[in-house]
Amino acid sequence: MNQSLNSYDTPEKAILPAPPAVSSNATLATVIELMNNYRMCEISGYGQQNTSKNDWQHLRRNPGCVLITEQEKLQGILTERDIVRLTMNETDLEATSVAAVMNTPVFSLMREEVTDLVVVYNLMRRHRVRHLPIIDAEHHVQGLITVSSLRRTINTSYFLRFRLVREVMNPQVVTVLPTDSVRAAVQRLTAYNISCVVVVQPHSVNLDNSEDWGFQFSRSEQIPIGIVTERDILQFKALGLDLTTVTVADVMSSPLACVRPEDTLDMTQELMQKKWIRRLVVTTPQGFLAGIVTETNLTQVLDPVELYGVLEILQLQVCNLSESRDRLLKAQNFDLVMAFDYQEFGLVYQPQLELNSNKITGAEALIRWNSTTLGNVSPVDFIPWAEQTGFILKLGYWILETACKQAVRWQQMSAWEDVSIAVNISTKQLMDHHFISRTMEILQATGLPAHCLKLELTESVLVENVSLIAEKLKRLQELGLQIAIDDFGTGYASLSYLQHFHFDILKFDRLFIMEIDQNPKKQAIVSSILRMAKQLHFKVVAEGVETQAEKDFLTVQECHYMQGFLLSRPLTVQDWSDFMENHYRS
């Protein structure tokens, strides 16, 4: 399991050797010949068996592009897709120079900038490129990263095994008939800017019970029988085939490698690697065409919010900001130990409301630092420093004990006897070997029932050491504690991921709730997750509710709990009693 996560720290493995290069005055015919000779062209190679030993060699022979250089400096790039487009335009391959059609300038990275493969992938997505040249300070090409090399380098098996084909497949498949000309296939590849077309045979299916009406209703289904890719077109041109007279049936790759919608993406990736292919046709149990899944679909699991399509996390900027923040914290010379000894830390509590009963059922404990020298310091500033220095362990156990003691005091008041307390837990705390035993000791010492303590984890905690984290969470739940996933939607989690970890509580991030009454996309997302919550038997808390309209929407959708400024800002212990009295009096 660690391998899948540690691979993020080995970006060099994704860099292929530099692809073939030509000068700008070379002809397109030269480029096509070079592409095919370099990859040891073999039209019958679709779906052939592969082994892990020669998989990387196959990648090196199939970069899918040619670079254009002058005096060894990168000037432009041509890809297989460009060749297909030029073929459709009937470009004279012998008379056209590369300089006239190459893509320039080229999006590239210096080798020292390749520090995080997830960042690299998201950059490639934003720039809509499948080929990323790696250069040095003199713009000399050092290598190439492709979507294929990313997928094979990052061991995504952990992320993929919880996802199903139906979640990421494209149900809108561009098709051709076996009797169509290859040129017709090229037209579709170019018109839709896609990498392949699926060859289908129409099939009429009678609908159930249609004979009751005295005649039969039927619908047309499609049975996939082959595939034609942009790489095939490149090979056809190299062989001098007449694309107008040759039919798709004559050249399509067949038989197809297929998967079902209910298959896992982990299995799908294994099949792709085994057969040296970049896409698989998705079929129903009856053999009808249901969609297509490509290696690009598989790598989408590296996008933290791919599931939702609502948020955009600029991970490169996040990494840079994180490094800058750490440097700034060091410059500020935060002395957390001294602040702790001087009792400068304190807790505030933000109430949580049960929507259907309008009852205050608990509170989230939040750390605050009122420094005698720096004033009020935001947790956003000092918590990362506490985690980096390891002080978070001492601070975290103090927070946990203090919050539990306060919850017990509230429970001793008859009106608040069911109040629970939620405490945020960091990665380092959860990874501490003594975390479970220390937590149970605190519960025993304070007298707080285990079911009244909710441990809140961010999604980033879940990918630190998956098997160990899952085991610890299960053990804590067996002891009676509740586990909540905080800031849902801003990290790596997916719906299948949630099912695997068996959480008790899911907390929507504020970004999903903000102005939800005016945003149909957010409404659809939140409504679907609330429906899923019922099926998985966990509760949902909406964070950051600030308007009555937001609260009304959540109430109608049967969200369980809410917290936010509409209800109350985080309160000191002294202000809590006044708040409770005012709430129930109103």
Side-chain angles (χ1 to χ4, degrees):
M1 199 67 64
N2 290 338
Q3 180 183 2
S4 66
L5 302 172
N6 292 340
S7 59
Y8 292 117
D9 301 323
T10 55
E12 286 287 328
K13 293 183 180 179
I15 302 178
L16 301 170
V22 297
S23 65
S24 58
N25 57 9
T27 66
L28 282 178
T30 301
V31 169
I32 292 177
E33 182 180 2
L34 183 59
M35 279 186 173
N36 281 278
N37 289 340
Y38 190 80
R39 70 182 299 270
M40 302 169 67
C41 165
E42 192 174 332
I43 293 181
S44 62
Y46 180 88
Q48 61 183 312
Q49 294 296 314
N50 178 28
T51 66
S52 58
K53 183 176 180 180
N54 58 21
D55 182 50
W56 200 250
Q57 293 179 350
H58 176 77
L59 264 184
R60 295 181 179 189
R61 291 198 305 266
N62 295 268
C65 69
V66 165
L67 301 182
I68 295 86
T69 60
E70 293 296 337
Q71 297 180 344
E72 298 185 350
K73 294 186 177 182
L74 182 63
Q75 301 295 319
I77 188 172
L78 277 174
T79 68
E80 292 173 341
R81 186 160 298 181
D82 296 324
I83 299 300
V84 172
R85 173 175 50 82
L86 294 168
T87 297
M88 186 62 217
N89 295 338
E90 298 185 350
T91 303
D92 189 333
L93 304 181
E94 296 288 351
T96 304
S97 69
V98 169
V101 294
M102 69 180 182
N103 298 304
T104 188
V106 184
F107 173 62
S108 58
L109 287 179
M110 296 183 65
R111 185 178 284 267
E112 54 266 32
E113 294 176 323
V114 183
T115 58
D116 187 303
L117 293 185
V118 177
V119 171
V120 170
Y121 169 68
N122 278 281
L123 285 172
M124 292 176 71
R125 282 194 67 187
R126 291 191 181 98
H127 288 269
R128 297 184 178 182
V129 297
R130 296 177 55 86
H131 307 85
L132 177 64
I134 306 302
I135 59 175
D136 61 16
E138 303 299 324
H139 288 268
H140 295 161
V141 179
Q142 301 294 301
L144 180 75
I145 292 179
T146 68
V147 172
S148 296
S149 70
L150 277 176
R151 179 170 63 84
R152 285 166 170 80
T153 302
I154 301 178
N155 184 352
T156 54
S157 58
Y158 164 69
F159 299 96
L160 295 179
R161 67 177 180 170
F162 305 127
R163 306 293 298 273
L164 302 180
V165 169
R166 66 162 61 93
E167 296 180 50
V168 301
M169 75 178 191
N170 185 357
Q172 305 299 324
V173 185
V174 178
T175 63
V176 293
L177 297 175
T179 53
D180 289 337
S181 68
V182 174
R183 180 171 176 78
V186 174
Q187 287 177 326
R188 296 206 163 212
L189 289 172
T190 304
Y192 291 95
N193 194 31
I194 53 177
S195 63
C196 70
V197 290
V198 176
V199 187
V200 297
Q201 191 71 56
H203 182 79
S204 181
V205 179
N206 292 330
L207 298 181
D208 293 341
N209 302 322
S210 62
E211 294 182 359
D212 295 343
W213 295 83
F215 53 91
Q216 289 189 336
F217 293 109
S218 65
R219 69 168 181 263
S220 178
E221 294 284 2
Q222 296 175 321
I223 299 178
I225 59 174
I227 194 170
V228 177
T229 71
E230 57 190 4
R231 181 162 290 177
D232 295 332
I233 302 301
L234 179 69
Q235 295 170 350
F236 302 156
K237 290 297 294 184
L239 295 174
L241 297 181
D242 185 343
L243 304 187
T244 303
T245 59
V246 176
T247 67
V248 168
D250 295 328
V251 296
M252 68 182 184
S253 297
S254 182
L256 286 172
C258 299
V259 291
R260 299 281 177 80
E262 62 273 13
D263 289 337
T264 67
L265 295 186
D266 185 22
M267 187 209 77
T268 302
Q269 171 165 264
E270 288 182 4
L271 185 58
M272 283 186 180
Q273 292 185 182
K274 182 179 180 180
K275 293 185 174 293
W276 282 346
I277 52 181
R278 299 190 301 184
R279 76 276 298 169
L280 291 166
V281 173
V282 184
T283 59
T284 67
Q286 297 78 24
F288 299 137
L289 179 63
I292 192 165
V293 59
T294 68
E295 64 179 2
T296 300
N297 298 138
L298 297 186
T299 50
Q300 284 175 356
V301 298
L302 301 181
D303 188 338
V305 291
E306 171 270 326
L307 175 64
Y308 312 110
V310 175
L311 313 175
E312 182 179 10
I313 295 178
L314 303 178
Q315 282 205 295
L316 182 59
Q317 287 84 338
V318 170
C319 291
N320 291 337
L321 286 173
S322 179
E323 294 173 359
S324 300
R325 181 178 61 194
D326 289 342
R327 290 193 297 268
L328 177 61
L329 291 173
K330 291 180 181 179
Q332 289 179 329
N333 193 27
F334 281 171
D335 193 337
L336 301 179
V337 176
M338 182 178 294
F340 186 85
D341 291 339
Y342 285 179
Q343 299 182 355
E344 295 178 354
F345 293 107
L347 297 184
V348 292
Y349 303 88
Q350 187 166 37
Q352 296 177 336
L353 176 76
E354 186 176 44
L355 286 169
N356 67 349
S357 67
N358 200 41
K359 180 181 178 181
I360 302 299
T361 58
E364 180 180 4
L366 302 167
I367 184 71
R368 295 292 184 263
W369 179 16
N370 185 12
S371 171
T372 56
T373 57
L374 301 172
N376 291 322
V377 183
S378 170
V380 174
D381 293 327
F382 70 83
I383 290 296
W385 183 239
E387 291 179 339
Q388 185 170 329
T389 60
F391 184 72
I392 192 64
L393 291 177
K394 183 174 184 179
L395 183 62
Y397 286 126
W398 175 84
I399 294 172
L400 188 59
E401 183 175 5
T402 304
C404 289
K405 286 180 178 179
Q406 187 55 56
V408 170
R409 294 190 190 102
W410 285 333
Q411 289 182 352
Q412 291 171 349
M413 303 177 185
S414 59
W416 308 339
E417 58 186 4
D418 294 327
V419 168
S420 63
I421 196 72
V423 178
N424 292 279
I425 302 298
S426 73
T427 302
K428 287 188 180 294
Q429 288 176 267
L430 199 55
M431 295 298 292
D432 179 20
H433 296 303
H434 306 292
F435 179 76
I436 295 179
S437 61
R438 286 289 304 274
T439 300
M440 297 311 295
E441 288 172 3
I442 289 173
L443 289 176
Q444 185 175 6
T446 60
L448 182 69
H451 71 272
C452 293
L453 177 59
K454 303 173 182 177
L455 301 181
E456 295 190 0
L457 316 172
T458 60
E459 293 177 20
S460 59
V461 172
L462 304 180
V463 297
E464 183 69 18
N465 187 321
V466 176
S467 58
L468 180 59
I469 294 297
E471 182 180 337
K472 285 195 172 186
L473 296 185
K474 181 180 179 181
R475 178 59 181 152
L476 288 165
Q477 288 173 314
E478 289 173 347
L479 293 170
L481 284 73
Q482 298 186 66
I483 306 297
I485 180 169
D486 198 12
D487 298 333
F488 180 75
T490 61
Y492 294 91
S494 70
L495 299 185
S496 300
Y497 206 44
L498 294 176
Q499 294 176 53
H500 172 71
F501 274 96
H502 306 294
F503 296 105
D504 301 296
I505 302 165
L506 181 153
K507 298 187 72 175
F508 275 122
D509 185 77
R510 163 65 185 155
L511 292 175
F512 285 104
I513 306 304
M514 183 171 53
E515 299 180 346
I516 191 172
D517 55 299
Q518 304 173 37
N519 190 315
K521 182 178 287 188
K522 290 184 180 180
Q523 292 175 13
I525 293 168
V526 171
S527 298
S528 63
I529 294 178
L530 285 170
R531 288 193 298 271
M532 178 205 66
K534 292 182 179 180
Q535 298 174 346
L536 297 181
H537 306 293
F538 60 73
K539 304 295 184 181
V540 177
V541 179
E543 291 188 286
V545 179
E546 296 184 359
T547 69
Q548 186 63 42
E550 292 168 355
K551 178 185 176 182
D552 292 343
F553 175 84
L554 293 167
T555 302
V556 170
Q557 295 299 317
E558 299 182 355
C559 181
H560 304 98
Y561 306 99
M562 63 153 278
Q563 69 182 81
F565 289 174
L566 178 66
L567 180 62
S568 173
R569 293 177 178 271
L571 301 168
T572 64
V573 173
Q574 292 75 17
D575 293 333
W576 181 269
S577 296
D578 292 338
F579 163 78
M580 292 290 283
E581 291 177 5
N582 291 334
H583 174 76
Y584 285 109
R585 186 166 51 241
S586 61

